[in-house]
Amino acid sequence: MLQSIKYSAVCQDCGARLECCGVQAVVGGSLRWDVEAACSVCGFAVAVCGDVLPADLREQMLSEHGAARLRVTSPPGKSISIMRVLRAELGLDLAEARTELGRVLAGEFSGTVPEMEFLARKLREAGISAAAARP
C-alpha cells in the first residue's frame, strides 16, 4: 500500500526548479516515506527517507488524495486491545488512546491511506477486524 505526490522546490545548488517525488508506504511491517529530487539544470540529486512523514508532505498528500478512515468491526469487548495498538503504534498516553479509541469506534479516525493500512494491519495482528477505507 503506497501513495505518492509530486511537487517542485528550489535547487539548493543552482536555484533552478527542482522536481520532487514523495512516497509513503507500508514496507515490511513499517510505515516509511521517501523523497527523491533531481535538478535538470545542474544535475543535483538527493534522496531522503524516514518513518514519520513531514507535516507539509502529509498535508499535501491528504490534499491531493483525500483521507482514509480506519474501520474496525470487531466485537465491543476488544476496546482494550485497540487502545494497546494505538498506544504502541502512535506513542499515545492512556488518556490520548481513550480519546482516539472513541474516534476509531465512531469511524472518524483518519489519515493517509498508508497510515490507516498500517494501523489496520497492526490491529489485525492483534486479532481485531480492521481495514483502511475511503469515505
Side-chain angles (χ1 to χ4, degrees), residues 48-118:
V48 182
C49 62
D51 54 356
V52 179
L53 185 64
D56 59 332
L57 297 180
R58 184 176 187 274
E59 288 306 313
Q60 182 180 349
M61 194 166 288
L62 287 168
S63 175
E64 286 185 23
H65 298 287
R69 297 198 187 278
L70 184 61
R71 301 280 186 220
V72 174
T73 56
S74 286
K78 295 283 190 173
S79 293
I80 291 173
S81 297
I82 295 168
M83 286 176 51
R84 267 192 210 116
V85 171
L86 294 174
R87 289 187 73 193
E89 300 307 327
L90 302 177
L92 304 176
D93 65 28
L94 189 56
E96 292 168 328
R98 190 172 295 127
T99 298
E100 296 306 328
L101 170 66
R103 292 182 59 221
V104 168
L105 295 176
E108 298 170 355
F109 191 88
S110 65
T112 66
V113 169
E115 290 167 348
M116 295 304 98
E117 179 59 30
F118 172 76

Side-chain angles (χ1 to χ4, degrees), residues 1-5 21-27 30-34 53 61 65 112-118 121 132 134:
M1 179 65 53
L2 67 87
Q3 266 185 329
S4 64
I5 53 173
C21 180
V23 176
Q24 185 184 40
V26 179
V27 178
S30 297
L31 191 59
R32 304 287 302 161
W33 68 270
D34 69 66
L53 185 64
M61 194 166 288
H65 298 287
T112 66
V113 169
E115 290 167 348
M116 295 304 98
E117 179 59 30
F118 172 76
R121 288 180 187 185
R134 295 269 177 145

